[in-house]
Amino acid sequence: GDSVTQMEGPVTLSEEAFLTINCTYTATGYPSLFWYVQYPGEGLQLLLKATKADDKGSNKGFEATYRKETTSFHLEKGSVQVSDSAVYFCALIGDTGNQFYFGTGTSLTVIP
Amino acid sequence: DSGVTQTPKHLITATGQRVTLRCSPRSGDLSVYWYQQSLDQGLQFLIQYYNGEERAKGNILERFSAQQFPDLHSELNLSSLELGDSALYFCASSVGPTGLTYEQYFGPGTRLTVT
C-alpha cells in the first residue's frame, strides 16, 4: 500500500544553518505530495505541496521538489530561524484523493 | 487560527468508557476528516465525511464511529476505551470532497488520556 518514510529526528540546528529533512514515498499511480508543519500546541498547517513530477513546492523559504525517479520529496531551507522550530510531516495522497498517508514526523529545534 | 474548532481540549477517562469528540469545520467547508496521532503509530487517517455522507475510511477501529450532522459539525465516538486509545485526535476540514484539490485545515486537537 501507499506509505511515506521520513527521516528520524530529532534534529537540532543552529540559527542560519541549512536544513534538509528527507522524505521518500511508496505509491501506485501519481500521488500528490505535501509537507505539513505542527507548531507546539497547534494543529498541522500546510507548508507546501507538489502535485506532479518535477514540481517544486515552496513557502516561507522552504522548498521541496517532487522526484519521481527517486520517489522522494525532501524538504530544504537555506537558513533556518528559531521560529522554524516545529515538527514537520511529509504526506501523500493517492490519485483517488481519498486518503492521506503521513510520515512519522521530524522534530526540528533551532537554537540561537 | 485555522477556523476549525474542537472540543474538548483535554479528556481523561477510564478504560471501558465511551467518549464523544466534537469538531466544527471552517465556515463553508463541507468535508470533515478525523485523524489519530499517537507516539507509536504516528498520524493516522481515520475517516472522512463529505456533506453528511461517509466518503473515505482509513484505519478506524470498529469500536470507533463518526457522523456528520446537517449543520456540518462532526462527532467522533470512541467506545470500550483501551489504554492504547490514548492519543491526540485531530479534525480537519476542507471545502471539497477530496484532499487532492482542496487544502485541509486542521483543528488544535483533543488530547484523550485513558487511565
Side-chain angles (χ1 to χ4, degrees):
Chain A
D2 294 358
S3 67
V4 173
T5 302
Q6 68 180 99
M7 179 175 141
E8 294 273 336
V11 173
T12 302
L13 293 174
S14 297
E15 211 165 18
E16 299 183 6
F18 185 85
L19 168 72
T20 301
I21 301 178
N22 290 338
C23 171
T24 57
Y25 69 89
T26 301
T28 52
Y30 301 93
S32 292
L33 303 173
F34 303 79
W35 277 99
Y36 279 83
V37 59
Q38 184 178 27
Y39 297 103
E42 297 183 16
L44 279 72
Q45 300 173 30
L46 178 64
L47 181 59
L48 53 86
K49 69 178 183 182
T51 57
K52 60 183 191 298
D54 300 325
D55 264 4
K56 179 187 278 190
S58 60
N59 186 23
K60 298 182 182 180
F62 291 89
E63 57 183 38
T65 302
Y66 187 164
R67 303 268 187 221
K68 196 157 175 63
E69 64 277 14
T70 54
T71 61
S72 65
F73 192 55
H74 305 321
L75 181 69
E76 296 182 337
K77 185 174 186 184
S79 174
V80 293
Q81 306 301 312
V82 172
S83 57
D84 294 326
S85 298
V87 181
Y88 293 81
F89 291 88
C90 185
L92 74 80
I93 192 165
D95 38 18
T96 60
N98 284 341
Q99 183 166 344
F100 265 93
Y101 294 88
F102 283 86
T104 50
T106 301
S107 174
L108 170 67
T109 300
V110 180
I111 53 178
Chain B
D1 184 354
S2 66
V4 179
T5 59
Q6 290 187 247
T7 56
K9 254 183 132 67
H10 302 279
L11 200 46
I12 301 174
T13 189
T15 53
Q17 295 299 302
R18 173 189 167 95
V19 297
T20 297
L21 313 184
R22 183 187 167 103
C23 168
S24 293
R26 290 187 328 150
S27 177
D29 283 359
L30 299 178
S31 271
V32 169
Y33 306 76
W34 286 99
Y35 293 87
Q36 179 192 58
Q37 185 178 33
S38 61
L39 282 174
D40 54 343
Q41 302 261 13
L43 188 65
Q44 294 207 54
F45 167 70
L46 296 178
I47 196 164
Q48 178 204 356
Y49 280 81
Y50 176 70
N51 206 18
E53 301 286 326
E54 182 184 305
R55 182 162 176 92
K57 214 167 193 173
N59 301 321
I60 188 164
L61 299 172
E62 281 191 21
R63 300 184 285 108
F64 296 1
S65 65
Q67 53 184 324
Q68 186 180 27
F69 294 86
D71 67 353
L72 300 176
H73 90 272
S74 178
E75 293 181 355
L76 179 68
N77 300 296
L78 316 175
S79 61
S80 302
L81 285 167
E82 302 174 0
L83 294 177
D85 298 326
S86 296
L88 200 49
Y89 290 85
F90 285 108
C91 166
S93 73
S94 69
V95 168
T98 81
L100 261 177
T101 315
Y102 305 100
E103 180 178 341
Q104 293 186 36
Y105 293 85
F106 282 75
T110 292
R111 182 168 294 284
L112 172 67
T113 302
V114 182
T115 61

mmCIF file of all heavy atoms in Angstrom, chain A residues 3-4 23-27 30-36 46 48-55 57 64-68 71-74 89-94 100-101, chain B residues 100:
data_model
loop_
_atom_site.group_PDB
_atom_site.id
_atom_site.type_symbol
_atom_site.label_atom_id
_atom_site.label_comp_id
_atom_site.label_asym_id
_atom_site.label_seq_id
_atom_site.Cartn_x
_atom_site.Cartn_y
_atom_site.Cartn_z
ATOM 1 N N SER A 3 2.690 4.565 1.285
ATOM 2 C CA SER A 3 3.331 4.906 2.555
ATOM 3 C C SER A 3 4.351 6.009 2.354
ATOM 4 O O SER A 3 4.775 6.289 1.229
ATOM 5 C CB SER A 3 4.008 3.679 3.176
ATOM 6 O OG SER A 3 5.090 3.267 2.386
ATOM 7 N N VAL A 4 4.727 6.611 3.468
ATOM 8 C CA VAL A 4 5.727 7.678 3.467
ATOM 9 C C VAL A 4 6.753 7.350 4.539
ATOM 10 O O VAL A 4 6.391 6.988 5.659
ATOM 11 C CB VAL A 4 5.068 9.037 3.791
ATOM 12 C CG1 VAL A 4 6.122 10.110 3.956
ATOM 13 C CG2 VAL A 4 4.080 9.415 2.698
ATOM 14 N N CYS A 23 12.479 12.675 2.803
ATOM 15 C CA CYS A 23 11.186 12.008 2.708
ATOM 16 C C CYS A 23 11.162 11.174 1.442
ATOM 17 O O CYS A 23 11.472 11.685 0.355
ATOM 18 C CB CYS A 23 10.057 13.029 2.686
ATOM 19 S SG CYS A 23 8.436 12.325 2.318
ATOM 20 N N THR A 24 10.832 9.906 1.576
ATOM 21 C CA THR A 24 10.621 9.063 0.406
ATOM 22 C C THR A 24 9.246 8.438 0.511
ATOM 23 O O THR A 24 8.682 8.331 1.599
ATOM 24 C CB THR A 24 11.687 7.957 0.289
ATOM 25 O OG1 THR A 24 11.678 7.185 1.495
ATOM 26 C CG2 THR A 24 13.078 8.535 0.067
ATOM 27 N N TYR A 25 8.710 8.036 -0.616
ATOM 28 C CA TYR A 25 7.354 7.524 -0.612
ATOM 29 C C TYR A 25 7.236 6.251 -1.452
ATOM 30 O O TYR A 25 8.070 5.971 -2.312
ATOM 31 C CB TYR A 25 6.377 8.585 -1.123
ATOM 32 C CG TYR A 25 6.532 8.900 -2.599
ATOM 33 C CD1 TYR A 25 5.829 8.193 -3.564
ATOM 34 C CD2 TYR A 25 7.393 9.914 -3.008
ATOM 35 C CE1 TYR A 25 5.991 8.472 -4.912
ATOM 36 C CE2 TYR A 25 7.557 10.209 -4.356
ATOM 37 C CZ TYR A 25 6.860 9.474 -5.302
ATOM 38 O OH TYR A 25 7.025 9.756 -6.636
ATOM 39 N N THR A 26 6.181 5.522 -1.172
ATOM 40 C CA THR A 26 5.784 4.369 -1.983
ATOM 41 C C THR A 26 4.331 4.585 -2.344
ATOM 42 O O THR A 26 3.507 4.837 -1.456
ATOM 43 C CB THR A 26 5.917 3.065 -1.180
ATOM 44 O OG1 THR A 26 7.266 2.919 -0.747
ATOM 45 C CG2 THR A 26 5.522 1.867 -2.033
ATOM 46 N N ALA A 27 4.032 4.550 -3.624
ATOM 47 C CA ALA A 27 2.649 4.751 -4.041
ATOM 48 C C ALA A 27 2.454 4.206 -5.443
ATOM 49 O O ALA A 27 3.374 4.201 -6.253
ATOM 50 C CB ALA A 27 2.286 6.228 -4.005
ATOM 51 N N TYR A 30 -0.008 8.235 -9.429
ATOM 52 C CA TYR A 30 0.638 9.545 -9.381
ATOM 53 C C TYR A 30 0.139 10.321 -8.166
ATOM 54 O O TYR A 30 -0.787 11.120 -8.269
ATOM 55 C CB TYR A 30 0.350 10.303 -10.685
ATOM 56 C CG TYR A 30 0.853 9.544 -11.879
ATOM 57 C CD1 TYR A 30 0.019 8.665 -12.576
ATOM 58 C CD2 TYR A 30 2.184 9.654 -12.291
ATOM 59 C CE1 TYR A 30 0.493 7.940 -13.658
ATOM 60 C CE2 TYR A 30 2.659 8.932 -13.371
ATOM 61 C CZ TYR A 30 1.814 8.067 -14.049
ATOM 62 O OH TYR A 30 2.276 7.348 -15.106
ATOM 63 N N PRO A 31 0.779 10.110 -7.032
ATOM 64 C CA PRO A 31 0.312 10.792 -5.822
ATOM 65 C C PRO A 31 0.656 12.271 -5.839
ATOM 66 O O PRO A 31 1.511 12.718 -6.604
ATOM 67 C CB PRO A 31 1.088 10.084 -4.705
ATOM 68 C CG PRO A 31 2.356 9.647 -5.361
ATOM 69 C CD PRO A 31 1.966 9.262 -6.770
ATOM 70 N N SER A 32 -0.025 13.017 -4.980
ATOM 71 C CA SER A 32 0.379 14.386 -4.671
ATOM 72 C C SER A 32 1.141 14.346 -3.358
ATOM 73 O O SER A 32 0.838 13.538 -2.486
ATOM 74 C CB SER A 32 -0.845 15.286 -4.535
ATOM 75 O OG SER A 32 -1.478 15.447 -5.781
ATOM 76 N N LEU A 33 2.118 15.224 -3.212
ATOM 77 C CA LEU A 33 2.989 15.195 -2.037
ATOM 78 C C LEU A 33 2.914 16.510 -1.278
ATOM 79 O O LEU A 33 2.752 17.576 -1.884
ATOM 80 C CB LEU A 33 4.437 14.922 -2.475
ATOM 81 C CG LEU A 33 4.640 13.629 -3.262
ATOM 82 C CD1 LEU A 33 6.071 13.539 -3.783
ATOM 83 C CD2 LEU A 33 4.327 12.424 -2.392
ATOM 84 N N PHE A 34 3.029 16.420 0.029
ATOM 85 C CA PHE A 34 2.825 17.579 0.895
ATOM 86 C C PHE A 34 3.864 17.589 2.016
ATOM 87 O O PHE A 34 4.358 16.543 2.434
ATOM 88 C CB PHE A 34 1.442 17.501 1.577
ATOM 89 C CG PHE A 34 0.282 17.404 0.632
ATOM 90 C CD1 PHE A 34 -0.049 16.194 0.036
ATOM 91 C CD2 PHE A 34 -0.493 18.515 0.348
ATOM 92 C CE1 PHE A 34 -1.129 16.092 -0.840
ATOM 93 C CE2 PHE A 34 -1.573 18.420 -0.517
ATOM 94 C CZ PHE A 34 -1.884 17.214 -1.110
ATOM 95 N N TRP A 35 4.153 18.785 2.501
ATOM 96 C CA TRP A 35 4.808 18.954 3.786
ATOM 97 C C TRP A 35 3.882 19.778 4.677
ATOM 98 O O TRP A 35 3.380 20.838 4.268
ATOM 99 C CB TRP A 35 6.154 19.671 3.659
ATOM 100 C CG TRP A 35 7.270 18.747 3.283
ATOM 101 C CD1 TRP A 35 7.804 18.546 2.044
ATOM 102 C CD2 TRP A 35 7.989 17.870 4.159
ATOM 103 N NE1 TRP A 35 8.806 17.603 2.090
ATOM 104 C CE2 TRP A 35 8.943 17.179 3.378
ATOM 105 C CE3 TRP A 35 7.931 17.608 5.536
ATOM 106 C CZ2 TRP A 35 9.820 16.247 3.922
ATOM 107 C CZ3 TRP A 35 8.802 16.685 6.069
ATOM 108 C CH2 TRP A 35 9.738 16.009 5.268
ATOM 109 N N TYR A 36 3.648 19.245 5.881
ATOM 110 C CA TYR A 36 2.885 19.954 6.893
ATOM 111 C C TYR A 36 3.805 20.285 8.047
ATOM 112 O O TYR A 36 4.776 19.572 8.326
ATOM 113 C CB TYR A 36 1.735 19.086 7.418
ATOM 114 C CG TYR A 36 0.510 19.073 6.541
ATOM 115 C CD1 TYR A 36 0.430 18.227 5.433
ATOM 116 C CD2 TYR A 36 -0.572 19.898 6.812
ATOM 117 C CE1 TYR A 36 -0.707 18.220 4.634
ATOM 118 C CE2 TYR A 36 -1.704 19.891 6.018
ATOM 119 C CZ TYR A 36 -1.756 19.055 4.930
ATOM 120 O OH TYR A 36 -2.876 19.041 4.136
ATOM 121 N N LEU A 46 -0.558 23.321 6.404
ATOM 122 C CA LEU A 46 0.089 23.005 5.140
ATOM 123 C C LEU A 46 1.249 23.963 4.915
ATOM 124 O O LEU A 46 1.087 25.184 4.982
ATOM 125 C CB LEU A 46 -0.912 23.123 3.992
ATOM 126 C CG LEU A 46 -0.362 22.865 2.596
ATOM 127 C CD1 LEU A 46 0.121 21.426 2.473
ATOM 128 C CD2 LEU A 46 -1.423 23.160 1.546
ATOM 129 N N LEU A 48 3.784 23.287 2.148
ATOM 130 C CA LEU A 48 3.911 23.345 0.699
ATOM 131 C C LEU A 48 3.447 22.021 0.093
ATOM 132 O O LEU A 48 3.307 21.036 0.810
ATOM 133 C CB LEU A 48 5.354 23.654 0.263
ATOM 134 C CG LEU A 48 6.462 22.757 0.826
ATOM 135 C CD1 LEU A 48 6.645 21.511 -0.007
ATOM 136 C CD2 LEU A 48 7.780 23.528 0.880
ATOM 137 N N LYS A 49 3.225 22.058 -1.213
ATOM 138 C CA LYS A 49 2.782 20.827 -1.866
ATOM 139 C C LYS A 49 3.265 20.797 -3.309
ATOM 140 O O LYS A 49 3.653 21.828 -3.889
ATOM 141 C CB LYS A 49 1.267 20.695 -1.826
ATOM 142 C CG LYS A 49 0.529 21.699 -2.683
ATOM 143 C CD LYS A 49 -0.975 21.446 -2.625
ATOM 144 C CE LYS A 49 -1.716 22.404 -3.541
ATOM 145 N NZ LYS A 49 -3.191 22.218 -3.463
ATOM 146 N N ALA A 50 3.238 19.590 -3.898
ATOM 147 C CA ALA A 50 3.565 19.414 -5.311
ATOM 148 C C ALA A 50 2.675 18.300 -5.840
ATOM 149 O O ALA A 50 2.496 17.273 -5.177
ATOM 150 C CB ALA A 50 5.036 19.059 -5.499
ATOM 151 N N THR A 51 2.094 18.523 -6.986
ATOM 152 C CA THR A 51 1.091 17.580 -7.469
ATOM 153 C C THR A 51 1.556 16.729 -8.637
ATOM 154 O O THR A 51 0.859 15.789 -9.020
ATOM 155 C CB THR A 51 -0.195 18.321 -7.867
ATOM 156 O OG1 THR A 51 0.149 19.301 -8.853
ATOM 157 C CG2 THR A 51 -0.815 19.003 -6.665
ATOM 158 N N LYS A 52 2.722 17.037 -9.214
ATOM 159 C CA LYS A 52 3.214 16.167 -10.279
ATOM 160 C C LYS A 52 4.735 16.177 -10.298
ATOM 161 O O LYS A 52 5.374 17.059 -9.711
ATOM 162 C CB LYS A 52 2.643 16.568 -11.626
ATOM 163 C CG LYS A 52 2.944 17.953 -12.095
ATOM 164 C CD LYS A 52 2.236 18.208 -13.415
ATOM 165 C CE LYS A 52 2.706 19.492 -14.077
ATOM 166 N NZ LYS A 52 2.452 20.688 -13.292
ATOM 167 N N ALA A 53 5.280 15.189 -10.983
ATOM 168 C CA ALA A 53 6.729 15.013 -11.034
ATOM 169 C C ALA A 53 7.418 16.284 -11.518
ATOM 170 O O ALA A 53 6.938 16.967 -12.424
ATOM 171 C CB ALA A 53 7.072 13.836 -11.938
ATOM 172 N N ASP A 54 8.539 16.590 -10.849
ATOM 173 C CA ASP A 54 9.389 17.748 -11.142
ATOM 174 C C ASP A 54 8.819 19.072 -10.655
ATOM 175 O O ASP A 54 9.479 20.103 -10.766
ATOM 176 C CB ASP A 54 9.753 17.848 -12.629
ATOM 177 C CG ASP A 54 10.502 16.636 -13.109
ATOM 178 O OD1 ASP A 54 11.284 16.076 -12.324
ATOM 179 O OD2 ASP A 54 10.290 16.222 -14.260
ATOM 180 N N ASP A 55 7.621 19.061 -10.108
ATOM 181 C CA ASP A 55 7.061 20.273 -9.485
ATOM 182 C C ASP A 55 7.895 20.624 -8.269
ATOM 183 O O ASP A 55 8.313 19.741 -7.531
ATOM 184 C CB ASP A 55 5.627 20.023 -9.006
ATOM 185 C CG ASP A 55 4.598 20.475 -10.013
ATOM 186 O OD1 ASP A 55 4.979 20.904 -11.114
ATOM 187 O OD2 ASP A 55 3.404 20.389 -9.683
ATOM 188 N N GLY A 57 7.489 22.716 -4.777
ATOM 189 C CA GLY A 57 6.638 23.490 -3.864
ATOM 190 C C GLY A 57 7.540 24.385 -3.024
ATOM 191 O O GLY A 57 8.644 23.995 -2.669
ATOM 192 N N ALA A 64 10.650 22.024 -1.704
ATOM 193 C CA ALA A 64 10.788 20.581 -1.905
ATOM 194 C C ALA A 64 10.424 20.283 -3.349
ATOM 195 O O ALA A 64 9.487 20.879 -3.894
ATOM 196 C CB ALA A 64 9.874 19.809 -0.956
ATOM 197 N N THR A 65 11.159 19.363 -3.965
ATOM 198 C CA THR A 65 10.924 19.011 -5.362
ATOM 199 C C THR A 65 10.457 17.566 -5.453
ATOM 200 O O THR A 65 11.069 16.666 -4.853
ATOM 201 C CB THR A 65 12.200 19.207 -6.196
ATOM 202 O OG1 THR A 65 12.623 20.560 -6.086
ATOM 203 C CG2 THR A 65 11.950 18.871 -7.665
ATOM 204 N N TYR A 66 9.409 17.341 -6.189
ATOM 205 C CA TYR A 66 8.806 16.030 -6.402
ATOM 206 C C TYR A 66 9.672 15.276 -7.415
ATOM 207 O O TYR A 66 9.685 15.593 -8.594
ATOM 208 C CB TYR A 66 7.403 16.254 -6.958
ATOM 209 C CG TYR A 66 6.485 15.068 -7.136
ATOM 210 C CD1 TYR A 66 5.135 15.280 -7.318
ATOM 211 C CD2 TYR A 66 6.944 13.753 -7.159
ATOM 212 C CE1 TYR A 66 4.238 14.228 -7.503
ATOM 213 C CE2 TYR A 66 6.068 12.707 -7.346
ATOM 214 C CZ TYR A 66 4.714 12.950 -7.512
ATOM 215 O OH TYR A 66 3.839 11.901 -7.704
ATOM 216 N N ARG A 67 10.387 14.275 -6.933
ATOM 217 C CA ARG A 67 11.284 13.494 -7.779
ATOM 218 C C ARG A 67 10.721 12.089 -7.945
ATOM 219 O O ARG A 67 10.819 11.264 -7.027
ATOM 220 C CB ARG A 67 12.676 13.391 -7.138
ATOM 221 C CG ARG A 67 13.327 14.717 -6.853
ATOM 222 C CD ARG A 67 14.187 15.165 -7.994
ATOM 223 N NE ARG A 67 14.937 16.380 -7.644
ATOM 224 C CZ ARG A 67 15.113 17.387 -8.476
ATOM 225 N NH1 ARG A 67 14.566 17.353 -9.693
ATOM 226 N NH2 ARG A 67 15.821 18.426 -8.113
ATOM 227 N N LYS A 68 10.166 11.834 -9.112
ATOM 228 C CA LYS A 68 9.558 10.525 -9.317
ATOM 229 C C LYS A 68 10.629 9.433 -9.467
ATOM 230 O O LYS A 68 10.432 8.302 -9.029
ATOM 231 C CB LYS A 68 8.666 10.558 -10.562
ATOM 232 C CG LYS A 68 7.720 9.387 -10.636
ATOM 233 C CD LYS A 68 6.524 9.700 -11.500
ATOM 234 C CE LYS A 68 5.638 8.490 -11.669
ATOM 235 N NZ LYS A 68 5.047 8.027 -10.400
ATOM 236 N N THR A 71 11.590 8.657 -6.045
ATOM 237 C CA THR A 71 10.409 8.650 -5.154
ATOM 238 C C THR A 71 10.699 9.438 -3.877
ATOM 239 O O THR A 71 10.543 8.932 -2.758
ATOM 240 C CB THR A 71 9.918 7.225 -4.825
ATOM 241 O OG1 THR A 71 10.944 6.497 -4.141
ATOM 242 C CG2 THR A 71 9.513 6.485 -6.072
ATOM 243 N N SER A 72 11.126 10.688 -4.066
ATOM 244 C CA SER A 72 11.497 11.500 -2.913
ATOM 245 C C SER A 72 10.866 12.883 -2.966
ATOM 246 O O SER A 72 10.461 13.363 -4.038
ATOM 247 C CB SER A 72 13.026 11.634 -2.835
ATOM 248 O OG SER A 72 13.515 12.355 -3.950
ATOM 249 N N PHE A 73 10.806 13.515 -1.797
ATOM 250 C CA PHE A 73 10.248 14.867 -1.680
ATOM 251 C C PHE A 73 10.931 15.502 -0.470
ATOM 252 O O PHE A 73 10.310 15.801 0.535
ATOM 253 C CB PHE A 73 8.726 14.771 -1.521
ATOM 254 C CG PHE A 73 7.995 16.075 -1.678
ATOM 255 C CD1 PHE A 73 8.136 16.853 -2.814
ATOM 256 C CD2 PHE A 73 7.102 16.506 -0.698
ATOM 257 C CE1 PHE A 73 7.438 18.039 -2.973
ATOM 258 C CE2 PHE A 73 6.396 17.695 -0.841
ATOM 259 C CZ PHE A 73 6.561 18.456 -1.983
ATOM 260 N N HIS A 74 12.208 15.715 -0.567
ATOM 261 C CA HIS A 74 12.998 16.212 0.555
ATOM 262 C C HIS A 74 12.728 17.697 0.803
ATOM 263 O O HIS A 74 12.689 18.505 -0.134
ATOM 264 C CB HIS A 74 14.491 16.021 0.295
ATOM 265 C CG HIS A 74 14.886 14.612 -0.019
ATOM 266 N ND1 HIS A 74 14.324 13.520 0.619
ATOM 267 C CD2 HIS A 74 15.784 14.116 -0.900
ATOM 268 C CE1 HIS A 74 14.864 12.410 0.146
ATOM 269 N NE2 HIS A 74 15.747 12.742 -0.783
ATOM 270 N N PHE A 89 5.937 17.133 8.913
ATOM 271 C CA PHE A 89 5.371 15.874 8.428
ATOM 272 C C PHE A 89 5.347 15.875 6.905
ATOM 273 O O PHE A 89 4.824 16.798 6.289
ATOM 274 C CB PHE A 89 3.933 15.697 8.912
ATOM 275 C CG PHE A 89 3.790 15.469 10.381
ATOM 276 C CD1 PHE A 89 3.669 16.540 11.253
ATOM 277 C CD2 PHE A 89 3.764 14.181 10.897
ATOM 278 C CE1 PHE A 89 3.530 16.336 12.614
ATOM 279 C CE2 PHE A 89 3.631 13.965 12.263
ATOM 280 C CZ PHE A 89 3.512 15.047 13.121
ATOM 281 N N CYS A 90 5.849 14.819 6.334
ATOM 282 C CA CYS A 90 5.712 14.576 4.909
ATOM 283 C C CYS A 90 4.443 13.745 4.721
ATOM 284 O O CYS A 90 4.122 12.888 5.563
ATOM 285 C CB CYS A 90 6.936 13.804 4.422
ATOM 286 S SG CYS A 90 7.017 13.536 2.658
ATOM 287 N N ALA A 91 3.719 13.992 3.648
ATOM 288 C CA ALA A 91 2.466 13.259 3.441
ATOM 289 C C ALA A 91 2.203 13.084 1.958
ATOM 290 O O ALA A 91 2.707 13.839 1.128
ATOM 291 C CB ALA A 91 1.300 14.010 4.090
ATOM 292 N N LEU A 92 1.417 12.068 1.658
ATOM 293 C CA LEU A 92 0.986 11.895 0.272
ATOM 294 C C LEU A 92 -0.490 11.572 0.231
ATOM 295 O O LEU A 92 -1.074 11.080 1.201
ATOM 296 C CB LEU A 92 1.794 10.811 -0.446
ATOM 297 C CG LEU A 92 1.561 9.336 -0.137
ATOM 298 C CD1 LEU A 92 0.343 8.758 -0.858
ATOM 299 C CD2 LEU A 92 2.789 8.525 -0.571
ATOM 300 N N ILE A 93 -1.074 11.888 -0.886
ATOM 301 C CA ILE A 93 -2.435 11.461 -1.159
ATOM 302 C C ILE A 93 -2.426 10.858 -2.551
ATOM 303 O O ILE A 93 -1.848 11.407 -3.478
ATOM 304 C CB ILE A 93 -3.432 12.622 -1.007
ATOM 305 C CG1 ILE A 93 -4.860 12.116 -1.010
ATOM 306 C CG2 ILE A 93 -3.230 13.686 -2.070
ATOM 307 C CD1 ILE A 93 -5.857 13.139 -0.512
ATOM 308 N N GLY A 94 -3.044 9.690 -2.654
ATOM 309 C CA GLY A 94 -3.054 8.981 -3.921
ATOM 310 C C GLY A 94 -3.963 9.658 -4.922
ATOM 311 O O GLY A 94 -4.692 10.603 -4.594
ATOM 312 N N PHE A 100 -5.070 10.454 3.095
ATOM 313 C CA PHE A 100 -3.727 10.948 3.329
ATOM 314 C C PHE A 100 -2.913 9.892 4.055
ATOM 315 O O PHE A 100 -3.405 9.204 4.946
ATOM 316 C CB PHE A 100 -3.758 12.190 4.220
ATOM 317 C CG PHE A 100 -3.745 13.477 3.460
ATOM 318 C CD1 PHE A 100 -4.928 14.102 3.119
ATOM 319 C CD2 PHE A 100 -2.553 14.067 3.098
ATOM 320 C CE1 PHE A 100 -4.933 15.293 2.422
ATOM 321 C CE2 PHE A 100 -2.548 15.273 2.401
ATOM 322 C CZ PHE A 100 -3.738 15.881 2.059
ATOM 323 N N TYR A 101 -1.631 9.786 3.680
ATOM 324 C CA TYR A 101 -0.679 8.975 4.430
ATOM 325 C C TYR A 101 0.417 9.906 4.915
ATOM 326 O O TYR A 101 1.012 10.636 4.126
ATOM 327 C CB TYR A 101 -0.068 7.885 3.536
ATOM 328 C CG TYR A 101 -1.077 6.869 3.081
ATOM 329 C CD1 TYR A 101 -1.815 7.075 1.913
ATOM 330 C CD2 TYR A 101 -1.323 5.716 3.822
ATOM 331 C CE1 TYR A 101 -2.763 6.152 1.501
ATOM 332 C CE2 TYR A 101 -2.263 4.789 3.409
ATOM 333 C CZ TYR A 101 -2.974 5.021 2.253
ATOM 334 O OH TYR A 101 -3.918 4.106 1.849
ATOM 335 N N LEU B 100 -7.116 16.011 -2.720
ATOM 336 C CA LEU B 100 -6.215 16.303 -3.836
ATOM 337 C C LEU B 100 -6.214 17.781 -4.181
ATOM 338 O O LEU B 100 -5.189 18.406 -4.314
ATOM 339 C CB LEU B 100 -6.685 15.527 -5.075
ATOM 340 C CG LEU B 100 -5.958 14.234 -5.387
ATOM 341 C CD1 LEU B 100 -6.585 13.571 -6.583
ATOM 342 C CD2 LEU B 100 -4.493 14.496 -5.637
#
